[in-house]
Amino acid sequence: MKLASNKQTLDLRDSEAAARLQALVRSASIEATPRQILAAEHLPELLPEGTCVYVPFLPKGQFSDTLAACTRLLEVGMQPIPHVPARMAESRGQLRDWLAELEENHVDRLLLIAGDSDAAAGPFPDTLAVLESGLLAQFRFHGIGVAAHPDGHPMADRATLTQALGIKREYARTTATRLWVVTQFTFDADVVIDWLQSLGNILEEVPVYIGIAGPTRMKTLIAYAAQCGVGASARAMLRRPGSARLLRAWTPDAMVRALVRYCLDNPDTLLRGIHLFPFGGLRQSAQWIQEHSGSFEDQRGQFHESSVQ
């Protein structure tokens, strides 16, 4: 009798895990460059309507490319979330113009980041400087995302990064801004879980979306990791038994399953979803989403609204 009860508990647990995994993948957001977005002729066939697509502002890119990509996403029923890099704004006026053009073109949310440039092109060395400028409060964006780095950051220690998140949370509270956090990609669920646990009450109820690399070749992934300063979890992964097998390919399956287990064990977690970095190509990551989230038709219309509080 006791064995039957244990089996029922395990079956229920498996069922909950499967449902939670599908929910996480179904609401996944994805990153795509302006070039990928503008070149994809059949974007609605790749991603469900309403998918949140983050549009990076690359170091040698132009804001006009970002805007064109956002417009294209809106035309096909996607939710664009452009990166707004503080260090790339050459002046307060230029940043104001960027925000105004986004608003005029019905882009109603954005991801505020420091940017990949080593030096600031203008008066904003980081995202806190943008918040302090008061510029964002002049516009009516539906929500603002900010970045976090569970795997560390080459230019700041964890205490500094955590303090900055606390300041951003306070900014959101005092300005009634809808805020969410999306992280840099990592390879190791333990790194993510340790980081989530370390936050304590800093973020209060702000939702967190975990960055994960989409399916790709390991060689490609390691190259991106070096470029983005994601070093610790990459080194840990390569030290594990079976690394030789993993060197052939990477898929996010194991990491997502580990995050699902964490969510089930910690129902009050701030973890609300995943964000895919399609280093292996947009089509390959889109296919992974379709394969792990139920039927494609079931996904239509599921906007990533929970990304804002």
Side-chain angles (χ1 to χ4, degrees):
M1 195 67 172
K2 185 176 180 180
L3 287 176
S5 177
N6 288 342
K7 184 177 185 307
Q8 289 175 349
T9 300
L10 289 173
D11 289 346
L12 178 60
R13 177 82 171 178
D14 290 344
S15 176
E16 290 176 349
R20 191 62 177 266
L21 188 147
Q22 281 200 344
L24 276 182
V25 177
R26 190 172 294 158
S27 63
S29 55
I30 195 166
E31 194 135 329
T33 66
R35 183 176 181 179
Q36 286 176 311
I37 294 165
L38 296 173
E41 295 181 359
H42 306 293
L43 203 55
E45 296 177 12
L46 293 179
L47 299 168
E49 183 179 355
T51 297
C52 287
V53 182
Y54 287 66
V55 185
F57 191 151
L58 302 175
K60 294 183 180 179
Q62 300 294 322
F63 175 74
S64 57
D65 297 333
T66 296
L67 191 61
C70 289
T71 301
R72 161 77 169 146
L73 290 169
L74 286 170
E75 288 172 351
V76 296
M78 306 289 174
Q79 176 63 63
I81 303 180
H83 291 198
V84 175
R87 293 189 191 127
M88 290 179 67
E90 296 178 353
S91 67
R92 180 184 174 93
Q94 185 180 56
L95 180 57
R96 183 192 298 111
D97 290 345
W98 288 351
L99 297 174
E101 288 192 68
L102 291 174
E103 188 178 66
E104 289 168 5
N105 285 275
H106 310 292
V107 177
D108 65 1
R109 60 201 73 186
L110 57 88
L111 177 68
L112 182 62
I113 61 171
D116 293 331
S117 304
D118 291 334
F124 305 109
D126 52 36
T127 55
L128 295 181
V130 174
L131 298 181
E132 291 168 359
S133 74
L135 274 175
L136 284 169
Q138 297 176 16
F139 300 90
R140 295 183 178 179
F141 291 107
H142 181 73
I144 295 174
V146 294
H149 302 80
D151 214 350
H153 190 284
M155 299 178 66
D157 59 30
R158 175 173 281 195
T160 301
L161 294 171
T162 302
Q163 183 182 25
L165 283 178
I167 294 171
K168 291 166 187 173
R169 175 65 189 94
E170 183 61 17
Y171 170 88
R173 189 186 67 77
T174 57
T175 61
T177 299
R178 294 168 180 262
L179 186 74
W180 76 92
V181 171
V182 62
T183 78
Q184 178 61 282
F185 67 93
T186 68
F187 309 112
D188 192 332
D190 290 340
V191 169
V192 173
I193 292 168
D194 176 66
W195 173 76
L196 285 168
Q197 297 288 84
S198 74
L199 292 176
N201 297 321
I202 289 291
L203 289 177
E204 297 182 356
E205 74 279 18
V206 176
V208 175
Y209 296 84
I210 302 301
I212 300 175
T216 187
R217 294 187 307 163
M218 186 58 70
K219 182 179 179 181
T220 302
L221 194 55
I222 295 300
Y224 275 106
Q227 180 181 338
C228 299
V230 181
S233 62
R235 288 191 294 273
M237 181 175 62
L238 291 173
R239 284 197 300 267
R240 292 174 181 171
S243 288
R245 178 178 58 82
L246 291 175
L247 281 171
R248 293 199 295 269
W250 156 269
T251 73
D253 299 50
M255 185 166 174
V256 174
R257 285 197 297 270
L259 294 180
V260 165
R261 288 194 296 271
Y262 173 75
C263 289
L264 292 177
D265 292 338
N266 298 271
D268 296 329
T269 179
L270 295 175
L271 196 164
R272 293 289 186 276
I274 58 173
H275 174 64
L276 281 183
F277 291 79
F279 299 132
L282 192 57
R283 181 173 292 278
Q284 195 171 352
S285 284
Q287 184 176 358
W288 182 86
I289 291 174
Q290 292 180 31
E291 291 173 351
H292 292 75
S293 59
S295 86
F296 191 79
E297 289 299 322
D298 289 346
Q299 301 170 53
R300 293 190 180 278
Q302 296 202 23
F303 285 79
H304 200 177
E305 285 296 333
S306 59
S307 65
V308 291
Q309 51 174 323

